[in-house]
Amino acid sequence: MLYTMDTFLFFVILSGITVNIVKLSEPRFTRFLGFSRFFYIEPNMRNEFIKVLVVFGFALTFFLSCTDNPTPDYPDIGYFISSSSRLSSSSKPSSSSSIFSSSSIASSSSSKPSSSSSMPSSSSKLSSSSAVPSSSSYLWSESPFYDGPKGTFFDRRDTLPYKWVRINNQIWMAENLKYDTTSSVYHIKDKDSTCGRLYDWATAMALDKDCNEKLCIDDIKPQYHQGMCPIGWHIPTENEWVILINNINSGNPAQLLKATSGWVKNNGDDYFDFTALPCGAYYVDESSMGFEYYGNQGIWWTRTFSESGNGKSARQYYMHSDNYKIVVQDSRKTIYYSVRCIKN
């Protein structure tokens, strides 16, 4: 409305100026001022000219009032939260909707499978009572606006927070995926629930279980395959891991990606805040069964299937406590490993 009033006042002033110009179009004035050729109006046409100008002004003002722009409806994009920032008391949810501290993740006593069970019970699932943060106050996973070198976003599916880090031209999760599914487990030795969950390949890719035994090429999206990652993120390809290693540009890349603690030996510098942890694996096949390698190996699935193995193998990358190398190898899809997602 303010915009329309400004337009109306402009035309009132313009009308006044025009009336005075019409009056100045008297021959005695135009000859004196030297612009009779441009402004002289026949006396019998002056009133008509003023009427046309006033009608035009009111018509344009009415048109603008009908098209006055309301406050734009901005999309739900949230805002950037740096990993070093702290939520102020005014931005925190009320007592009925708490922020997700480590206690909001399933506790070790209820979330981890016992040694006698291969899958977690229903009590191990994350609580559904966690309140969704205000959409205008938080960076959600699907947002395209990831500013700065690192930060935190929220997964809209279960409202769990994830740290992220930018390494050159890639944006990676700075922690393992922890989205709860019926075919995922916490490592039984992960007492603090810092490792996220372990997934077999088909579950990580959100495919049918029989894809652990065959290629399922037609079910894999050619560019970004989301799998169990949050919206706007995807399971990394082998090539994206290669790019990560090349971006680090070091003879000992794992030293710069490993967490500063948690490894049996050869902890890393965590130079890039990637915080790679040795969360091990979980075996459920007939030849071996149980949790292995906790504290010794960090192993992460890729979406890339193996060229050999009759569709029963896929590529995984791993780091070992014995050295600072990052190694790629084929692995049976039925083994449960960690998942690190990468931004679309």
Side-chain angles (χ1 to χ4, degrees), residues 212-230:
N212 281 336
E213 306 296 331
K214 60 183 182 179
L215 288 175
C216 291
I217 297 176
D218 294 336
D219 297 322
I220 301 175
K221 292 181 172 57
Q223 186 176 13
Y224 300 136
H225 188 93
Q226 178 181 344
M228 283 298 171
C229 292

Side-chain angles (χ1 to χ4, degrees), residues 72-79 135-138 140 142-145 156:
D73 184 19
Y74 293 105
D76 173 23
I77 60 175
Y79 66 86
S135 60
S136 62
S137 302
Y138 297 89
W140 293 101
E142 67 270 26
S143 172
F145 299 97
R156 193 178 290 277

Side-chain angles (χ1 to χ4, degrees), residues 144-155:
F145 299 97
Y146 281 72
D147 300 324
K150 57 185 177 180
T152 302
F153 72 87
F154 287 86
D155 185 348

Side-chain angles (χ1 to χ4, degrees), residues 63-266:
F63 172 77
L64 292 174
S65 67
C66 293
T67 58
D68 199 10
N69 292 328
T71 302
D73 184 19
Y74 293 105
D76 173 23
I77 60 175
Y79 66 86
F80 170 69
I81 307 174
S82 71
S83 59
S84 60
S85 66
R86 296 291 183 266
L87 297 172
S88 65
S89 59
S90 61
S91 66
K92 293 179 181 179
S94 63
S95 58
S96 61
S97 57
S98 59
I99 282 294
F100 313 100
S101 64
S102 59
S103 61
S104 70
I105 302 174
S107 63
S108 59
S109 62
S110 61
S111 65
K112 299 183 178 60
S114 64
S115 56
S116 61
S117 61
S118 61
M119 292 294 166
S121 64
S122 59
S123 63
S124 70
K125 295 184 178 180
L126 298 169
S127 172
S128 60
S129 61
S130 299
V132 178
S134 169
S135 60
S136 62
S137 302
Y138 297 89
L139 184 69
W140 293 101
S141 62
E142 67 270 26
S143 172
F145 299 97
Y146 281 72
D147 300 324
K150 57 185 177 180
T152 302
F153 72 87
F154 287 86
D155 185 348
R156 193 178 290 277
R157 299 171 298 179
D158 54 15
T159 66
L160 288 178
Y162 288 93
K163 294 179 181 179
W164 61 268
V165 63
R166 186 188 304 274
I167 301 177
N168 202 344
N169 59 339
Q170 294 180 317
I171 296 178
W172 286 84
M173 278 187 178
E175 54 188 298
N176 294 338
L177 183 66
K178 48 197 174 189
Y179 184 66
D180 189 10
T181 68
T182 55
S183 296
S184 64
V185 297
Y186 278 115
H187 199 294
I188 196 171
K189 293 183 179 180
D190 182 21
K191 303 300 183 182
D192 298 325
S193 301
T194 56
C195 274
R197 300 186 74 87
L198 304 176
Y199 305 83
D200 63 87
W201 187 83
T203 298
M205 294 286 287
L207 301 175
D208 291 337
K209 275 287 191 177
D210 58 3
C211 288
N212 281 336
E213 306 296 331
K214 60 183 182 179
L215 288 175
C216 291
I217 297 176
D218 294 336
D219 297 322
I220 301 175
K221 292 181 172 57
Q223 186 176 13
Y224 300 136
H225 188 93
Q226 178 181 344
M228 283 298 171
C229 292
I231 302 171
W233 296 71
H234 62 275
I235 305 292
T237 63
E238 180 182 7
N239 185 57
E240 285 172 320
W241 270 94
V242 171
I243 293 173
L244 171 64
I245 296 170
N246 290 339
N247 285 339
I248 295 170
N249 192 24
S250 170
N252 295 308
Q255 182 176 4
L256 303 179
L257 295 181
K258 280 183 178 181
T260 56
S261 62
W263 295 81
V264 172
K265 55 184 178 179
N266 292 318

Side-chain angles (χ1 to χ4, degrees), residues 2-16 57 61:
L2 181 61
Y3 178 51
T4 305
M5 289 302 297
D6 288 345
T7 307
F8 176 74
L9 291 174
F10 168 76
F11 276 102
V12 170
I13 296 171
L14 182 62
S15 299
T61 303

